[in-house]
Each structure stands twice: as structure tokens, then as C-alpha cells.
Amino acid sequence: MTSTAATIPRSSLFDRIMVVAMGRWQPLFIGGVTLILSLIVMGLCALVAGANPVTAIVAIFEGALKGRYEVLATLAEFSAISLTGLAVLIPLRTGFFNIGGQGQVELGALAAVVIGLFVTAPGWIVMIIALLGSLVAGALAAVVPLFLRVQRGASEVTTTIMMNFTCVLFMYVMVTGPLKDPKAFYGTTKLVSTAVRLPTLFEGINAGVLIALGVAVLMYLVGRYTVFGLQSTAVGCNRSAALAGGIKVDRVMVTAVLIGAAIAGLAGGVQILAFSFRVAEGWSKSWGFQGIAVGFMGGNPLGVLVVAFIFAILETGSRNMQAMTGVPAALVSLFQGLPVLIYVGLQAAIRISRWKTGAGRSRRRVVVTR
Amino acid sequence: MSSWIVSFLLATMRDAVPLIFAALGILLAERAGVLNIGVEGQMLAGALTAVVIAVLTQNVWIAVVAASITGAVIGVIQSFFTVYLPADQIVVGIAINGTCLGLTSFIYKITIDKGMQLIAPGTLQSIAPGLKDVPVIGFFASWSPLAYIAIVAVVLMYLFLFRTGPGLLLRSAGESAHAAHAAGLNVTLLRTIVLCAAGSLCGLGGAALGLAVVRSFTDNLTMGRGFIALAAVYFARWNPLLAFGACLLFGAGEALAFRAQAAGVGLNPYYYLMLPYVMTLIAVGLFGKGRGPRDAGKPYLKG
Amino acid sequence: MIIVRNKTWIVTVVLLLVALLGLAVAGCGSTTTTADPATTTTGAAKVKAGMMFSITNPPKAGGWDRADWVGVQYLKNDLGWEIAVAEGVPYPQTAGTAAGYAEKGYNPVIFPDAGQSEAFKSVPAQYPKTWFVMMSAVDALPDAPNAAAWVPDFYKYGNMVGIIAAKATKSGKIGLIGGVPVPALVILFSGAIEGAKAVNPNVEVTVSWVGDWVDLPKHKEVTNLQVQKGVDVIFADSGPGTTGVFEAAEAGNAKVIGFAADWYDDAPNAILTSALIDAAKMYKQMAEAFSNGTLKKQIYPCGFDFFRAAPFRGSVSAEVEKDITDTIAKLGSGELKIPEVTHEEINPQ
């Protein structure tokens, strides 16, 4: 028998890097490439706008990370985006697309404000009730799409988008109507009192950030070590097999969606109690939509944290870039869309190329025949 | 007819035209099995192209064609990501929306920084403005030419989808991509072409917004109208004729919202703006999923 | 060849390097940007001002923003100030942006929009070393000593607008369109109503609020409704959405009076004239006071000498134009007295 591989090729540095990069750390690697490509595009746009691209890119990082105030602002965004990312990720594991995050955030925020303004009790008790209330409100926002999916088989892609706008507009109705601060000339509620707000801990970092981190870690543990977590993965991978295996598929999915939506509501509640203290026309950013990208790109709760942090950097940094270099504010939206396209594209391209070559494993095996 | 009703009906028609084109685009794509969530981005791009080209060439029809082409280009880009790669259609759609919002605002700012007055010729505002005050004909003369084109498009779309062979093939690709492939259909190519056409229709909707409803462009001109068109498609269970009706209904809701706010009467205007979404949810709840394309949204992987 | 047994630490090292790189970029950035105070030709330290607009594209946006932009250009080009401008900041996020500027050492922080009064009243107390100036109407200064405001007399300005509208209208019906019902605008419109009534007691005034500064179709619709009621002269204070007003006015053969800046180039057919506000003068005064150290916590009133009408360019007959100009002169000199009435009923709140 002739040997087809007489010598074992020495693996080059490139090979070793690629093995690691395409393996467990693939999301990170793709994320890095995405970031670099996005920054290049941003630089080009800055050039077109007549600004110095290097200054513009530097302004992004400075605006996000240089200085205590900047880092705190980035962490504030991070706490929202990481939670909305989890809100998409957890239902996604069971095969449910939760795109209604924005609406769930708004409802959760509304609940937190209402409880904060109208419940009389010692400050920290109201705070706890408000956070719990935002969890419930977020979950409530998912009830209708859930019902329509389970009972009517309606695709949740539509229903969650519809619910999104319904919730946001409902919040606007409340804020321009019954809950409106009579002294204001646009739709806004009064500020929640200081006693009710989330405390600032060490170095100015707010408890809200820690809540976000805690929830992510919790979800990671739940996903890997609890029955529910494993069942979710099973349901998502192969629904009929899970059903055949005795898992109550519907119940698992419903639970996952409610948990996810509740987390989105919590994101709203945390933003209110930690950073914004009231809801108004124009109070929020597009955390819900960013969460969709983050949830997809993150892959698992810890990955969500990383991606959310990068998104937060882009968010606060690009606003600084606009203010400092005169590059149009429009690029902020570009920053939210383009990296997602690049990332998703790269991920899919790699998946397809691996699939096409039939290499299901990521590690290269060296075959020696004698 | 009292002038309030006339003005209300005219406003309804005017607001509905962009929705109709966009809804046709979404519907076509979904019937072939692709979710076109990037409709907002396509509309914005179409609107900006239409206004800029109209100002540069002073010819609205060239502008309309240009807008369709822009929408088609975005459709092709979208199909590269969702059909060829394929990546998840929802994420790509939302990313396209964000990217187009950023790009259109960016280009808009650059053009006005260069001193361009982005006010397009008003040819598309109505067919025969001189006939405005003539009793019955005046009403129909006040419609935009694009409105008539939209109505024709709706009928053509219905006929194409339900009465022609290619339409049947298209729908089969949406019902079961694998079966269609087994029958010899090149599903990937079909979906790419369909996304291209859908993109151009949505771009046309943007042109209608930027040239017929108003004559200019501003950041985020669409303000969520793409999603209202999406609601219309689901409300109408992927049927072009019903979608036309749904767009009229939702256009009426928008017109009503303005009037209520201006007159200071009626419900909080935001309730009227909620109308499309709530009605769609109710419709889905009452009538179930409907016989929509089964494979919509699932990436098609050969082999 | 190094055999790596544990791939994890490679990645950890790479991660750390990337993180360090990012921080290094952020840190090193300070030596390449002009964050250090530079000296102008007069030898004074360079002034770093921060301001935020609630809309985007201020140079081409609403009338008030354009007028302010002239002032901003003056500060930048004539005085050599370094100005950071944040655009598109919604009202609820203004306080955060202003605080951000103060934190970074920007001084003064400028609020160009009356709608930002909430932030203007809450932020100064937290940053006593920074001056906060409001370049628009505000009803009261905050408690802190480091705040001042240049307040145009919007009531008098409104009088002027009302006079122009009432004299130019042929149908006897005039319209006022506002974006967001900020208190300054309510005062302005009240002045317009009174001014119009003073020259024509039978004039009919319709007030409409669009609800935002930017939605073009909405602005067009609201204007349509007015035009259908017979309104033929409209005064629009509605930011970038004014373009929608122009479209509807042109279609309905109505004329528009532009707010604060000269709008003629935007809609030559629809513009009657523009009621100009010399915001640049306000900025000049503010800059002088700041640089000389004479800036005090007070409201600096900007009276009639800041207002005038733009050239009519033949939009009305010569005699009507003379009539208007004369009446405005009388208003300015005090010969024409108009009662001060605040029409709260037009406030939709």
C-alpha cells in the first residue's frame, strides 16, 4: 500500500492560529475582524465627510473608554444591550425569535416608573418592587406573541415586531396622557425620587451594571447546568426528537420566552432606576434592536457580554466622534448596522466553506497511512 | 361631499401609495420564502435616490427608475447575505435597515452641505392639479400618477402569483424549497431574482414617499412605514388584493391620526398610529396563521 | 517548533493585547488631538465650548438653528473658539450630553434650544466650575450661580410677525404652525395673535401644533388642513419640518413667513418674507462677556433691535410692503403699543 502522507507536515504558525480561531474562539476571532473592518469603513466615511479618519477612530475609543465619565457611560449602555441580547438569546435556544425586545424594554421601564412614582414604601423596597415589576411587565409583553404562536401557529417574527411598536406607542400614550408631568411641554413623566434609584457602588459604577453581569452569569449557569437549560438546547436543536424524548416542548419554549422577555423588561427597569429616572418621548435608544444582533452574534451568555460591550463602545464612542470631529451623527446608525452585516456574513461564509469541504470538525487531523 | 371627507380620502390615498408598493415587495419575497425585513432601508434608499436624481435631472420619472434600481441593488446585497451565504434573514434585514438609515442620512448631509436644495419637482403630486376643483373628476385628478401605477401593480401581482406558471413556481419555492428543488427549480437563483424585484418595489415605495407624499428628503423619512407595510402583508395573509385594502386602511389610520391631533379632538394620536399593529395582531389571533408560505424565513441549504 | 498544549492562554494573551491596544489608542489619542489648550493670537487660552442641537444638520435645519449656526460660525472663525457640536440629541438625553461636556472640561456649555430648558435647569448645580448659557427663551434661571441666558423677547417678535401676517393676508385668515409646544413658542404665538389683532381686529388666527420638529408628511398635512380652511398667510416655527409646510403652502397658494433665518432660497415661491432674529449678535455678546469675565448670572434680554423683516422681494405690492415696514418701525419705536396677553388656550398641554 502506498502511503499518501509520508511525512507529517509541520503545522505553521498560521495553521495554529487558524485552528484556534476557527474553533471554540471563533466568535471572538470573527468579532475582531469585524471590528477592524468596521473601523476601516468608518474611517473611509470620515474621509468622505472631510474629517481625518485616524482622529475619528481615535475619537470613538476616547469617547468610550478614556476617562471615568466615558467608561461609566459605556457601562450604562452595556447594561442595557447585554440584557436585551440575553432576551433574544434565551428564547432563540428553543427556536423562538424574540424580536420584540424594544417593546419589552419600554414596558418594563414604564412599569418601573409607575411603581417608583406611585408606590409608597421605604425607598429600597420600592426599588426592589420596581425591578420585579419590570420583569413582569416585560414578560407580559411577550404573552400575546406566545399565545399566537402556540395556539395559532403564527410565526413570532411578525407578531413580536407588531408587539414591539404596540408597546412603544402605548408607552407614548401613557407619557403624553395620564402619566405626563404637567410642567413639561413634551411627553415625559416626573423623575423617580432619589430614594428609589439604584445605588452607585464603587468608582461610580452603578448597581445596574452588576445586575446585568449577574443575570448573564446566571443564565450561563442555567444554560449549562440545569435541566431547563439543557432541555432548551434540545428543543432548539431538534424539536421532534425532544418531543419524542419526553420533553414538554411547548412548556420549555414558553418558559424560555417569558424569561427572555422578562430580562428585556429588566433592562428597561435598570435603565430607569440607574440612569434615566423617567420615561419620555425620546428617552430610549434602540437597545432592543441592537439586542437582536447581540443575541445572534453572542452565541452564549458570556459571548453576549463581550459583544454587548463592543456595541456599547461603538454607541458612546460614535457619539463622541460626531461631537468632536464633525463627522455626521448619521454614522452612529451605520455603526449599528454594518458590523452586524460583516459579522453575520463572515460567520455564514466560514460555516458554508467548512460545510462544503465536508470538514465537520474544526481541528485538522493529520492522516498517516502505512 | 364635504371638503373634510374629500381631504381625508385624498390623504388616505396619498399615505397609502408608498405602503402599497412596499407591501407588494414584501409579499413577493415572502411568497418565495424570503423575509424582507430590510424594507425600511430599501424605502429610505429609494426615497433619497428619487429626490436627489429628481433634483439633478429635474425629471421625476428618471428619478423613479433610479429609485427602483437602488432598491434592486440593496435587494441583491440582501440576497447575497440571506440566500447565498446564507445568514439569518431577520438579523440581516435589521442590519440593512440600520446601515441604510446611516448611509442615507450621511449622503443627505453631504448633499446639502454642498448646497443642493433637495426640493424635487412636484410632477408626481397629482395627475392634473388644474382640475382640482372639478366635482368628481377633480378628486381622481388629485391622485398621484404613482397611485394609478400602484393599483395596476396590485392587479398584476395578483395575476402573476395566482394565474401564471412562473407565479406558481415562485409560490412553490416558498411553500417547500426542497420540493421545488427536487422538481428542478433553481431555488437560490429564484430567491435572488425575487429579492431583487422586491427590493425595487420597496425602492419604488420610497420614491413614492419622497416624490408624491412630500417633495423632499429628511433623516429617517420613512419613520417605520416599512414595518406598517409588513403588518399589511400579514394582515392580508399574503394576498395582494387584500394587502391593497390593508394599506388603504392603514393609510386612513395615519391620516386620521394627523387630523385628530390637529383638531385636538379624539383619542391620543398615538392610538391611531397603533392601529396597523394592533389590527394585525387581532387578525392573526382571530383567523389564525393563514395559509402562508411555510418555508418563509428558513435559509435554504442545498443537498 | 513550540508545541502549545493549552491553546486557551494564547487567546487570553491575544485578548489582553487587544484590550491594551484599545486603551493605549485611547490614551495616546490625547497627544495627537487638540485637547490641550492652545493659544490664540491674542495670547489667551483657547476656549472650548460644547453645545447640542436636538435636530441634525443645524446649518440647514430649522430657522432658529440656522440663525444660531451663524453665531456658532462667528465663535469658531472670528474668535477661534473650539466648539464641539452634538447633533440629534433628543430632549430627555440633553442633560447627559451637557454633563458630558462639563466633565470633559468644556466651558461654556451652550444650549441653543428653548426645549432644553429642563437640562439647563438641572445640570449647572452639578458643575460649579463650568458656565452654562441658554441662547433662547427660558422662564427662570436655575439656582446655581454659573448659569446665564440670552432671552429674545419672543413676545415682541411675535407682535412683528402678527403685524406682517395681518397686513399681508387677503382672505383675513392667518395661521401659526409650531413644532413642539415649548413655552417660548406659546409666548411667541400669543404675541403674534395680539400683533395681528392690533392692526386688523377681524383677523382669524388658527394655531396648529405638529408634535415634533421633523416629520415632513405630518407638517405637510397640518398645513394642508389650515390652507383648506382659507388661511393664506402662515408663520411656521417648526424646525426641519418647515419644508413640509412650504410644500403644502405652495400647493394651496398660501404664503409662509419664515422663522429666524432667511428662508427665501428654500422656497422662493412660497416665502413671503422671513422674520429675522440676529442670533449671531446674541452669540457675540455672550462671547464678549465670557472672555472678558463679565459674564454674570442673569437674563440678558434681546429686544427689538435684534429683530427685522427680511426683504420682501416683490411678494407683496410696494404699498403693502411700505405699510408693513412703517408699522414695524412704529412697534420698534414704541409708538404702537400692543397689550401683553398670554393666550394659554392655544397651549395643547
Side-chain angles (χ1 to χ4, degrees), chain A residues 45 97 99 148 152-154 157-158 162 165-166 169 172-173 176 281 292 296 330 333-334 337-338 340-341 344 352 355, chain B residues 81 85 87-88 90-91 94-95 98-99 102 105-106 227 231 234 268 270-271 273-274 277 281 284-285 288-289 302:
Chain A
C45 286
F97 289 94
I99 325 184
L148 290 175
R152 296 280 189 209
V157 173
T158 339
M162 298 297 125
F165 291 105
T166 310
L169 287 170
Y172 276 27
V173 165
T176 51
E281 288 172 294
I292 300 173
F296 268 89
S333 308
L334 199 58
L338 197 61
V340 178
L341 275 181
V344 168
I352 286 302
W355 196 56
Chain B
F81 281 97
L85 278 180
D88 189 274
I90 303 166
V91 179
I94 293 185
T99 311
S105 299
F106 184 63
F227 288 109
Y234 290 116
N268 190 320
Y270 286 116
Y271 278 127
L273 295 175
M274 250 199 250
Y277 311 108
L281 284 171
V284 171
K289 177 168 147 358
K302 278 199 282 272

Side-chain angles (χ1 to χ4, degrees), chain A residues 206-228:
Chain A
N206 194 292
V209 178
L210 295 177
I211 292 181
L213 285 172
V215 171
V217 170
L218 183 66
M219 286 300 124
Y220 175 73
L221 296 172
V222 164
R224 279 192 67 163
Y225 300 117
T226 64
V227 173
F228 169 72

Side-chain angles (χ1 to χ4, degrees), chain A residues 99-100 103 141 144-145 148 155-169, chain B residues 224 226-235 250 273-282 284:
Chain A
I99 325 184
V144 171
L148 290 175
S155 157
E156 68 275 9
V157 173
T158 339
T159 48
T160 44
I161 292 184
M162 298 297 125
M163 211 47 206
N164 227 355
F165 291 105
T166 310
C167 292
V168 171
L169 287 170
Chain B
F227 288 109
I228 297 187
L230 201 65
V233 170
Y234 290 116
F235 181 77
F250 296 159
L273 295 175
M274 250 199 250
L275 210 77
Y277 311 108
V278 172
M279 290 188 65
T280 306
L281 284 171
I282 294 179
V284 171

Side-chain angles (χ1 to χ4, degrees), chain B residues 19 46 48 113 164 197 208 243 257 270 272 285:
Chain B
L19 295 177
L48 181 66
D113 274 351
T164 66
Y270 286 116
Y272 295 108

Side-chain angles (χ1 to χ4, degrees), chain A:
Chain A
M1 224 152 98
T2 52
S3 67
T4 50
T7 49
I8 303 173
R10 291 158 58 109
S11 54
S12 67
L13 184 64
F14 177 74
D15 283 336
R16 277 182 286 153
I17 291 180
M18 285 310 276
V19 164
V20 167
M22 290 300 123
R24 259 187 321 134
W25 299 95
Q26 179 184 344
L28 219 51
F29 173 75
I30 300 185
V33 173
T34 306
L35 199 58
I36 295 173
L37 283 178
S38 306
L39 289 176
I40 292 177
V41 173
M42 289 310 139
L44 285 174
C45 286
L47 210 56
V48 171
N52 181 334
V54 176
T55 324
I57 295 178
V58 166
I60 295 176
F61 283 106
E62 280 192 342
L65 298 171
K66 177 176 170 210
R68 189 163 154 276
Y69 181 81
E70 285 78 355
V71 173
L72 290 179
T74 307
L75 286 177
E77 291 294 311
F78 164 75
S79 63
I81 302 178
S82 53
L83 286 175
T84 51
L86 288 173
V88 171
L89 178 72
I90 292 171
L92 192 61
R93 272 207 288 247
T94 64
F96 186 99
F97 289 94
N98 179 20
I99 325 184
Q102 189 72 20
Q104 290 148 13
V105 167
E106 303 273 4
L107 270 196
L110 192 63
V113 170
V114 166
I115 293 175
L117 286 178
F118 294 115
V119 172
T120 38
W124 64 274
I125 293 188
V126 179
M127 178 180 84
I128 305 274
I129 302 180
L131 285 174
L132 292 175
S134 63
L135 281 169
V136 171
L140 275 178
V143 164
V144 171
L146 258 183
F147 170 78
L148 290 175
R149 156 95 182 231
V150 172
Q151 291 293 87
R152 296 280 189 209
S155 157
E156 68 275 9
V157 173
T158 339
T159 48
T160 44
I161 292 184
M162 298 297 125
M163 211 47 206
N164 227 355
F165 291 105
T166 310
C167 292
V168 171
L169 287 170
F170 177 71
M171 193 275 288
Y172 276 27
V173 165
M174 287 292 117
V175 140
T176 51
L179 293 179
K180 183 170 168 302
D181 178 358
K183 283 193 293 195
F185 51 83
Y186 65 100
T188 175
T189 63
K190 297 201 193 114
L191 293 175
V192 168
S193 74
T194 31
V196 175
R197 301 180 190 178
L198 279 168
T200 321
L201 304 172
F202 53 95
E203 288 294 339
I205 297 184
N206 194 292
V209 178
L210 295 177
I211 292 181
L213 285 172
V215 171
V217 170
L218 183 66
M219 286 300 124
Y220 175 73
L221 296 172
V222 164
R224 279 192 67 163
Y225 300 117
T226 64
V227 173
F228 169 72
L230 297 170
Q231 282 179 337
S232 311
T233 321
V235 168
C237 286
N238 190 331
R239 196 185 158 95
S240 20
L243 194 59
I247 299 179
K248 295 191 175 54
V249 167
D250 275 347
R251 189 180 293 187
V252 168
M253 188 181 76
V254 166
T255 317
V257 171
L258 287 178
I259 291 181
I263 293 180
L266 183 67
V270 164
Q271 281 298 302
I272 292 295
L273 295 176
F275 308 109
S276 308
F277 314 125
R278 46 85 183 267
V279 285
E281 288 172 294
W283 80 277
S284 65
K285 307 202 178 91
S286 51
W287 300 304
F289 290 105
Q290 286 170 298
I292 300 173
V294 169
F296 268 89
M297 289 173 13
N300 66 68
L302 299 184
V304 163
L305 286 180
V306 173
V307 179
F309 192 66
I310 296 180
F311 264 66
I313 292 181
L314 291 178
E315 172 90 25
T316 36
S318 56
R319 286 178 201 279
N320 183 59
M321 176 185 76
Q322 183 272 308
M324 295 303 134
T325 62
V327 177
L331 287 193
V332 174
S333 308
L334 199 58
F335 250 135
Q336 290 171 2
L338 197 61
V340 178
L341 275 181
I342 298 178
Y343 185 96
V344 168
L346 280 177
Q347 193 180 45
I350 291 174
R351 192 166 18 109
I352 286 302
S353 76
R354 262 204 268 152
W355 196 56
K356 277 191 183 147
T357 59
R361 303 276 305 274
S362 55
R363 300 187 203 299
R364 227 170 53 154
R365 276 191 291 186
V366 175
V367 178
V368 175
T369 59
R370 293 189 205 287

Side-chain angles (χ1 to χ4, degrees), chain C residues 39 70 113 116 149 153 194 234 258 281:
Chain C
T39 55
V70 178
D113 187 336
Q116 297 167 332
D153 186 350
E194 288 303 313
I234 299 173
K281 195 156 143 187

